[in-house]
């Protein structure tokens, strides 16, 4: 029976699109890529194995012609697609509308080889809704050859880089390592940041902090201020110091650097001083909405607000897209269609009121250089938007959809407006100095888009909706000091990258493509180059060795500028402005003054592997080196007799490089990993208790008898930060071995609550819900009531401390718990610790009462507990795995057959392009 065959990438897309197209169409998935360069010698066609370039599967002497093969686990599926194509009277290639999707469509066409006369269409869409799919069928195009060329060039570049440079790492650093054209540069960024932290020297500086009284005529009398200047010279702050701990040259002579002695002297000298307002500067405050999400901004916000890594974010977004909830999630664009703008404005009017809708629709221009193919921003799918509650989604999909929905709606709202005020007040110290204090405030009179969405911040930056009120003072007004104190500060090293900030850095440097960032994050962690400490990305010492080799022997290939420039080259190929073969030849063979990759590899010369893996600690004069060995990093240093490098000690795997100081090295030498310190017998079990230094730091453990069962495991406990191997006692060890400690049972759920010490600090655990504790001492002292109080609070994400409530309203008439108003990710809400209820558009923090809060909480309770993701929800992709498993049963085709479809790639490509254009 004849039909129209539509091929998409995934089974989920196939099911949904099939439902929209109905009878007459057969929709099948390719299950991702159907062809690639061979990944092993076993997959390499026999006829090219003996070629000088055979291991690359790229004929570097013949215009870099690639040899593609169908993976063994895809052969059966390709046979199925060919069978469906036999009965088809039209073929629609409906893969994603980006370079990778275009390349998949070309590979399908080249491999399936539809019979002459069968029209071939390229079907593109950016959302999976019935109108979008029907419009895509009605308006197909041909395959874009330039996009295919650009994607193929990227694949060849990555292959040449990885297959030529990785063997160098195997020989000179460690076997099994890999190098990648963008992966290695991303690793270098993380290493460079750690190098900055290692070199960093702390600077100490002081200032004065005061609380001032504006007088009884002001409703808000008290306000805080910090010292601004002394005798006209601005007081130094953290930004005035360089990484060397010294004042920057630009600040010298222009600022006064207060130390503790002078700061405290000023406080004493100002004890009886009077103050007057020197100036009041008021400026209008205006903040415009954030642009709708593109790939990188979605990854950054999902990391900040939802705690999702880049890979998880893209996986969840993929499922939302395939099931018709959002538009395509790999995009550089911030553009919204006219229908989407109308939908967003309609929801603003409905949810917040007409006063929140701007007079004209907002248009956002992409800030990304060479923004890739015409996509929309990431937004809710359809010409009308469903609210998160209307989608039926749960768990991660609900939270990510909510984030996208709120961002899109907020992008079509009015600006937030208000007023910013800076007050300068001064007084004379008894010692003669004229001291000026400064106070800054911000009041938002109309929240505009901030009512719907506030963007997350990095490293404790002030959020856009934060307000601080000041009394209405005028120049010349007298104020008094209620309190003054000297405040000491230390400069901080540059913050380590998180996934969110590394993605931002890569994009700002124009390195790589947004669609590849998630896989890059995963690769550098999976390869052991980087590990996570909380959310921070910490480079392993192995990454230092690899980066050093690349910087010394492949400086151009690992430079930030060259890697960014390659993206411009790929964009030019995609636009038809540059030739693929010419660019690949320059990269591999070189041209003019540019040395190619092949020559660099062939003429490497001698590389001192030991030197590459050796890093002096505290400078060469210390005689202590860190060495990157086969089984991990370790220290070498002089022994007590002065013999060089005679003493060794393992370095814990989770010790960040910037924390390996001379003092820490001495501690590791004093208690090398594996050395046992006997503490005595356990008073209850009689087993010997010893203290040891392990890969993850010092700990205590029991020694089991020789006849103990193989399944028996000794109890262990990490030392608290306040303890050391030198001073640990048996009593303290017994206490540590008693952890985790049962705190009690939750009377409502019946779940047991335990106090545990984890790799990232102390925490409480109840079922699958864990909450951080503020100190290790709480592990031993916390009671059930205190634990229940902690669990009654909304869970905090990240390391930020819970913000204080905006307003306290009193006890709830139903639960009896105190009700407060808090600021949340999506606006203000009231909570009694058990239930949260968002304030409506007609509510405000200033006017909300306990009666109104009780009403909102009663409505929330009536809806029942918040929905949670079903346990089986994450198992959806299993069908994909099952399909692949079935496909592996087919015996691999002969290598000679592979050549027929791949050997003459260039010629074949011209034929298939011509066929596509005829269609």
């Amino acid at each position: 029976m004849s039909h129209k065959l539509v091929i998409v990438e995934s089974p989920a897309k196939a099911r949904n699109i099939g439902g929209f197209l109905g009878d007459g169409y057969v929709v099948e998935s390719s299950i991702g890529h159907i062809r690639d360069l061979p990944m092993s010698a076993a997959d390499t066609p026999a006829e090219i194995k003996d070629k000088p370039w055979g291991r690359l599967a790229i004929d570097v002497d013949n215009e870099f012609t690639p040899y593609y093969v169908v993976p063994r686990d895809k052969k059966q599926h390709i046979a199925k697609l060919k069978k469906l194509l036999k009965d088809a009277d039209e073929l629609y290639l409906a893969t994603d509308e980006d370079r990778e999707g275009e390349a998949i469509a070309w590979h399908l066409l080249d491999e399936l080889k539809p019979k002459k006369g069968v029209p071939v269409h390229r079907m593109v869409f950016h959302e999976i809704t019935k109108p979008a799919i029907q419009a895509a069928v009605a308006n197909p195009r041909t395959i874009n050859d330039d996009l295919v060329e650009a994607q193929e060039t990227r694949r060849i570049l990555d292959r040449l880089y990885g297959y030529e440079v990785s063997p160098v790492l195997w020989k000179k650093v460690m076997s099994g390592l890999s190098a990648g054209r963008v992966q290695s540069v991303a690793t270098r960024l993380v290493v460079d940041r750690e190098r900055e932290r290692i070199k960093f020297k702390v600077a100490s500086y002081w200032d004065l902090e005061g609380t001032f009284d504006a007088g009884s005529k002001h409703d808000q009398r008290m306000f805080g201020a910090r010292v601004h200047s002394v005798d006209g010279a601005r007081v130094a702050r953290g930004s005035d110091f360089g990484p060397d701990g010294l004042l920057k040259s630009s600040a010298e002579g222009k600022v006064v650097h207060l130390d503790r002695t002078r700061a405290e002297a000023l406080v004493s000298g100002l004890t009886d001083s009077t103050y007057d307002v020197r100036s009041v500067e008021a400026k209008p405050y205006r903040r415009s909405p954030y642009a709708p999400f593109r790939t990188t901004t979605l990854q950054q916000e999902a990391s900040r607000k939802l705690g999702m890594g880049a890979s998880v974010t893209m996986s969840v977004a993929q499922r939302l897209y395939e099931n018709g909830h959002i538009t395509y999630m790999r995009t550089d664009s911030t553009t919204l269609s006219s229908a989407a703008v109308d939908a967003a404005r309609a929801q603003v009017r409905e949810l917040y009121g007409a006063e929140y809708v701007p007079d004209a629709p907002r248009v956002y221009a992409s800030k990304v250089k060479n923004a890739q193919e015409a996509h929309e921003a990431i937004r809710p799918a359809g010409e009308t938007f469903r609210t998160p509650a209307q989608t039926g989604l749960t768990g991660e999909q609900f939270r990510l959809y909510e984030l996208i929905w709120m961002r899109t709606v907020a992008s079509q709202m009015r600006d937030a407006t208000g007023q910013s005020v800076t007050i300068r007040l001064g007084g004379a110290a008894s010692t003669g100095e004229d001291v000026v204090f400064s106070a800054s405030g911000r009041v938002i009179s109309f929240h505009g888009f901030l009512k719907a969405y506030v963007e997350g911040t990095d490293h404790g930056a002030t959020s856009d909706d934060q307000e601080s009120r000041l009394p209405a003072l005028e120049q010349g007004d007298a104020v008094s000091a209620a309190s003054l104190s000297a405040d000491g500060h230390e400069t901080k090293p540059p913050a380590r990258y998180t996934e969110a900030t590394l993605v931002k850095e890569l994009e700002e440097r124009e390195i790589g493509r947004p669609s590849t960032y998630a896989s890059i994050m995963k690769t550098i962690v999976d390869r052991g180059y980087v590990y996570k400490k909380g959310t921070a990305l910490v480079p392993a010492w192995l990454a230092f060795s690899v980066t050093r080799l690349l910087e010394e022997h492949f400086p151009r290939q690992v430079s930030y500028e060259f890697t960014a420039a390659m993206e411009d080259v790929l964009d030019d190929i995609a636009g038809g402005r540059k030739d693929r073969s010419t660019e690949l030849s320059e990269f591999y063979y070189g041209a003019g003054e540019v040395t190619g990759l092949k020559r660099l590899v062939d003429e490497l010369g001698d590389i001192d592997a030991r030197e590459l893996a050796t890093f002096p600690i505290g400078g060469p004069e210390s005689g202590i080196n860190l060495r990157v060995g086969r089984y991990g990093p370790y220290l070498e240093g002089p022994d007590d007799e002065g013999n060089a490098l005679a003493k060794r000690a393992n370095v814990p795997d989770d010790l960040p490089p910037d924390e390996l100081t001379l003092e820490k090295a001495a501690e590791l030498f004093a208690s090398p990993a594996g050395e046992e310190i006997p503490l005595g017998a356990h008073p209850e079990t009689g087993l010997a208790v010893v203290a040891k230094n392990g890969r993850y730091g010092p700990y205590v453990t029991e020694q089991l008898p020789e006849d103990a069962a193989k399944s028996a495991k000794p109890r262990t406990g990490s030392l608290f930060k306040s303890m050391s191997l030198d001073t640990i006692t048996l009593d303290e060890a017994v206490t540590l071995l008693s952890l985790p400690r049962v705190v009690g049972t939750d009377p409502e759920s019946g779940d047991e609550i335990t106090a545990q010490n984890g790799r990232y600090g102390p925490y409480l655990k109840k079922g699958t819900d864990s909450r951080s504790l503020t100190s290790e001492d709480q592990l031993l002292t916390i009671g059930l009531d205190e634990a229940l109080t902690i669990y009654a609070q909304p869970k905090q994400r990240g390391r930020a401390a819970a913000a204080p409530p905006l307003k306290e309203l009193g006890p709830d008439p139903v639960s009896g718990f105190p009700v407060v108003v808090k600021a949340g990710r999506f606006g203000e809400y009231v909570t009694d610790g058990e239930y949260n209820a968002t304030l409506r558009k007609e509510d405000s923090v200033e006017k909300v009462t306990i009666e109104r809060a009780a009403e909102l909480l009663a409505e929330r309770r009536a809806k029942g507990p918040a929905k949670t993701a079903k346990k089986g929800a994450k198992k959806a992709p299993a069908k994909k795995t099952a399909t692949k498993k079935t496909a592996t049963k087919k015996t691999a085709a002969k290598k000679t057959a592979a050549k027929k479809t791949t050997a003459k790639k260039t010629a074949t490509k011209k034929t298939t392009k011509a066929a596509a254009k005829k269609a």
Side-chain angles (χ1 to χ4, degrees):
M1 182 178 177
S2 65
H3 56 258
K4 297 175 181 178
L5 177 62
V6 180
I7 302 179
V8 297
E9 290 105 325
S10 76
K13 285 172 70 175
R15 285 193 301 272
N16 290 316
I17 292 172
F20 295 142
L21 293 178
D23 296 338
Y25 290 87
V26 173
V27 185
E28 185 56 70
S29 73
S30 66
I31 317 179
H33 291 266
I34 56 105
R35 281 198 325 195
D36 197 4
L37 299 170
M39 300 306 294
S40 67
D43 296 329
T44 303
E47 62 271 21
I48 68 169
K49 279 188 176 181
D50 60 346
K51 304 290 184 184
W53 42 263
R55 65 185 181 87
L56 299 172
I58 297 168
D59 189 348
V60 295
D61 299 323
N62 182 24
E63 296 189 330
F64 294 86
T65 304
Y67 278 68
Y68 295 113
V69 296
V70 176
R72 281 170 284 182
D73 61 352
K74 287 291 181 74
K75 290 184 183 292
Q76 185 171 330
H77 193 66
I78 288 295
K80 177 183 177 181
L81 292 175
K82 287 182 175 180
K83 185 176 180 182
L84 290 171
L85 184 57
K86 276 186 179 180
D87 299 326
D89 48 24
E90 287 185 68
L91 173 62
Y92 287 83
L93 300 169
T95 49
D96 290 337
E97 191 187 7
D98 58 11
R99 294 176 191 173
E100 188 172 9
E102 206 74 14
I104 293 174
W106 181 84
H107 279 293
L108 282 166
L109 181 59
D110 191 43
E111 185 65 33
L112 297 179
K113 293 181 171 53
K115 58 190 175 185
K116 192 173 182 180
V118 174
V120 178
H121 309 291
R122 178 74 172 100
M123 173 179 162
V124 293
F125 46 86
H126 59 267
E127 66 180 23
I128 301 176
T129 58
K130 191 169 184 176
I133 297 304
Q134 291 178 339
V137 169
N139 300 280
R141 61 170 173 80
T142 58
I143 289 177
N144 187 319
D145 297 339
D146 290 330
L147 297 185
V148 176
E149 289 275 283
Q151 180 63 25
E152 190 169 68
T153 304
R154 179 185 296 277
R155 182 71 185 95
I156 294 171
L157 281 171
D158 292 344
R159 178 73 160 210
L160 295 173
Y161 188 103
Y163 271 51
E164 293 287 14
V165 180
S166 294
V168 178
L169 300 183
W170 303 342
K171 295 174 184 175
K172 300 301 179 181
V173 182
M174 189 183 297
S175 62
L177 297 180
S178 72
R181 189 176 57 84
V182 180
Q183 160 201 321
S184 297
V185 174
T187 302
R188 183 191 164 194
L189 277 170
V190 181
V191 169
D192 277 350
R193 179 57 55 87
E194 197 71 9
R195 287 167 171 167
E196 293 175 26
R197 291 175 64 88
I198 291 171
K199 292 178 182 177
F200 181 81
K201 292 183 179 179
V202 174
S204 173
Y205 62 99
W206 286 70
D207 63 7
L208 275 60
E209 183 178 20
T211 300
F212 293 86
D213 187 349
S216 58
K217 64 179 181 179
H218 296 278
D219 292 335
Q220 183 181 338
R221 295 177 55 167
M222 299 297 181
F223 64 100
R226 283 191 174 275
V227 68
H228 175 264
S229 63
V230 176
D231 288 337
R234 182 173 60 80
V235 173
R237 49 181 179 255
S239 59
D240 294 316
F241 295 89
D244 57 0
L246 301 175
L247 276 173
K248 295 177 181 176
S249 57
S250 59
E252 287 184 3
K254 299 178 183 177
V255 302
V256 55
H257 181 189
L258 297 182
D259 58 15
R260 179 172 186 166
T261 301
R262 190 173 181 194
E264 290 178 344
L266 282 173
V267 170
S268 299
L270 291 167
T271 302
D272 299 319
S273 298
T274 58
Y275 302 86
D276 62 286
V277 176
R278 304 283 177 87
S279 67
V280 178
E281 184 181 5
K283 294 180 179 179
Y285 168 79
R286 180 175 292 274
R287 183 72 172 86
S288 297
Y290 323 104
F293 282 130
R294 59 183 191 273
T295 302
T296 52
T297 52
L298 176 63
Q299 291 173 355
Q300 291 165 44
E301 276 293 87
S303 175
R304 296 181 188 121
K305 288 182 175 291
L306 307 180
M308 291 183 181
S311 295
V312 173
T313 299
M314 297 310 292
S315 175
V316 175
Q318 178 85 34
R319 296 200 297 275
L320 289 173
Y321 165 66
E322 289 178 346
N323 289 294
H325 293 294
I326 64 171
T327 52
Y328 190 55
M329 67 286 163
R330 294 188 183 92
T331 174
D332 296 334
S333 176
T334 54
T335 302
L336 292 176
S337 67
S338 58
V341 169
D342 292 343
R345 288 168 64 86
Q347 285 208 323
V348 173
R349 190 175 289 106
E350 176 188 349
L351 296 173
Y352 298 99
E355 67 272 22
Y356 283 86
V357 183
D359 295 335
R362 292 187 181 274
V363 178
Y364 295 90
S366 177
K367 295 181 180 180
V368 180
K369 182 181 176 184
N370 294 322
Q372 229 187 87
E373 296 65 68
H375 297 143
E376 269 197 84
I378 304 169
R379 63 165 178 85
E383 296 185 356
T384 58
F385 295 165
R386 287 174 289 178
T387 65
Q390 292 170 336
T391 61
L393 295 167
T394 58
E396 291 177 328
Q397 291 190 51
F398 177 90
R399 293 192 295 145
L400 193 63
Y401 179 85
E402 183 180 46
L403 194 71
I404 294 167
W405 176 77
M406 293 301 297
R407 178 86 165 215
T408 308
V409 170
S411 74
Q412 292 300 317
M413 293 176 73
R414 283 189 180 273
D415 291 351
T417 56
Q419 192 176 54
S420 298
V421 179
T422 301
I423 297 175
R424 296 278 166 80
L425 54 142
S430 60
T431 47
E433 296 99 335
D434 180 58
V435 183
V436 175
F437 289 82
S438 179
S440 296
R442 182 169 71 192
V443 177
I444 300 175
S445 54
F446 179 71
H447 279 75
F449 76 95
L450 294 175
K451 196 78 173 174
Y453 188 87
V454 181
E455 189 170 69
T457 59
D458 296 311
H459 312 309
T462 303
S463 64
D464 288 328
D465 65 337
Q466 185 169 321
E467 295 184 79
S468 55
R469 295 177 180 273
L470 293 175
L473 292 168
E474 296 181 359
Q475 186 172 340
D477 284 355
V479 297
S480 59
S483 65
L484 282 177
S485 62
D487 199 6
H489 308 275
E490 288 186 342
T491 54
K492 296 180 179 179
R496 289 191 179 96
Y497 290 112
T498 62
E499 282 201 7
T501 56
L502 184 56
V503 164
K504 184 178 181 181
E505 184 76 13
L506 288 167
E507 184 180 38
E508 288 179 350
R509 290 178 179 267
E510 298 171 5
I511 293 170
R513 272 290 177 197
S515 59
T516 66
Y517 291 158
S519 63
I520 289 169
M521 300 296 141
K522 185 176 186 302
T523 299
I524 63 177
V525 172
D526 290 350
R527 298 289 185 184
Y529 296 136
V530 171
Y531 65 92
K532 289 186 177 181
K533 191 167 186 178
T535 58
L537 298 174
V538 184
W541 283 105
L542 176 65
F544 279 75
S545 286
V546 169
T547 301
R548 177 187 279 179
L549 184 149
L550 295 176
E551 287 173 334
E552 291 179 2
H553 299 280
F554 301 93
R556 179 169 178 261
Q557 285 72 15
V558 80
S559 77
Y560 301 134
E561 297 75 18
F562 171 75
T563 311
M566 285 307 302
E567 293 303 325
D568 293 336
V569 169
L570 292 169
D571 289 331
D572 286 339
I573 293 172
R577 297 181 294 274
K578 284 193 175 180
D579 175 66
R580 185 195 77 166
S581 296
T582 302
E583 298 304 323
L584 286 171
S585 179
E586 180 179 310
F587 175 80
Y588 193 64
Y589 289 116
E593 295 182 0
V594 175
T595 304
L597 179 66
K598 180 172 175 54
R599 182 178 169 188
L600 288 173
V601 173
D602 291 346
E603 300 178 5
L604 267 178
D606 293 333
I607 296 178
D608 188 336
R610 183 177 180 83
E611 183 181 343
L612 276 177
T614 302
F615 300 89
I617 303 299
E621 65 279 357
S622 71
I624 298 175
N625 293 327
L626 179 129
R627 294 265 294 121
V628 180
R630 181 178 298 179
Y631 303 108
Y634 63 92
L635 291 172
E636 288 183 332
D639 60 15
D640 297 337
E641 285 74 39
N643 298 310
L645 309 180
K647 193 160 54 172
R648 288 189 176 188
N650 288 337
V651 175
D653 288 350
D654 62 346
L655 179 68
D658 75 326
E659 295 180 19
L660 185 54
T661 59
L662 281 175
E663 293 75 20
K664 186 64 179 179
E667 180 185 323
L668 293 171
F669 278 131
S671 304
E675 183 177 322
E676 297 178 351
I677 302 173
L679 300 177
H682 195 289
E684 295 175 8
T685 65
L687 296 175
V689 178
V690 297
K692 303 174 73 172
N693 199 14
R695 294 175 65 192
Y696 303 113
Y699 67 98
V700 294
T701 185
E702 295 174 320
Q703 290 185 326
L704 297 177
E706 293 182 3
D707 58 352
K710 289 184 179 181
S711 58
K713 292 184 178 179
R715 292 183 294 174
T716 62
S718 295
L719 268 63
F720 288 177
K721 291 179 181 177
S722 58
M723 301 174 179
S724 71
L725 289 173
D726 295 333
T727 60
I728 185 78
T729 65
L730 177 61
D731 289 342
E732 289 173 328
V734 170
T735 302
L736 293 175
L737 292 174
S738 69
L739 298 174
R741 179 175 69 89
V742 176
V743 177
T745 302
D746 186 328
E748 291 189 7
S749 66
D751 290 332
E752 188 177 77
I753 301 175
T754 58
Q756 306 190 28
N757 201 11
R759 188 172 176 184
Y760 302 114
Y763 65 97
L764 292 174
K765 189 171 181 64
K766 180 179 72 170
T768 58
D769 190 0
S770 60
R771 303 295 175 94
S772 296
L773 294 174
T774 56
S775 72
E776 290 172 319
D777 291 337
Q778 283 184 287
L779 291 169
L780 309 175
T781 61
I782 192 168
L784 181 59
D785 290 342
E786 189 179 353
L788 292 174
T789 301
I790 292 173
Y791 273 103
Q793 301 303 315
K795 189 167 185 177
Q796 298 294 319
R797 294 196 169 274
R799 297 184 176 183
L806 302 177
K807 189 175 182 180
E808 297 180 356
L809 300 176
D812 182 77
V814 175
S815 68
F817 294 133
V819 178
V820 297
V821 184
K822 288 195 166 189
R825 293 200 307 274
F826 306 121
E828 294 86 7
Y829 64 95
V830 293
T831 178
D832 66 346
E834 287 188 328
Y835 287 89
N836 302 337
T838 304
L839 296 184
R840 304 292 193 268
K841 64 181 180 182
E842 64 272 13
D843 297 318
S844 68
V845 176
E846 294 77 17
K847 295 180 181 178
V848 70
T849 63
I850 183 61
E851 291 76 19
R852 175 58 176 158
E855 181 184 338
L856 292 171
L857 288 169
E859 290 178 11
R860 178 65 188 82
R861 285 191 194 96
K863 296 178 182 178
K867 292 181 180 179
T868 56
K870 296 178 182 178
K871 289 184 179 179
K874 292 187 178 180
K875 296 184 179 178
K879 291 185 179 180
K880 193 170 184 179
T881 308
T883 308
K884 286 185 176 181
K885 208 171 197 178
T886 306
T888 59
K889 293 179 181 177
K890 183 169 180 182
T891 307
K894 293 181 180 179
K895 305 291 186 186
T896 51
K899 184 173 182 181
K900 289 179 182 178
T901 61
T902 60
K904 298 293 183 182
K905 186 261 165 192
T906 307
T908 308
K909 188 170 184 177
K910 290 176 182 174
T911 305
T912 53
K913 285 178 183 173
K917 287 177 180 176
K918 285 177 184 176

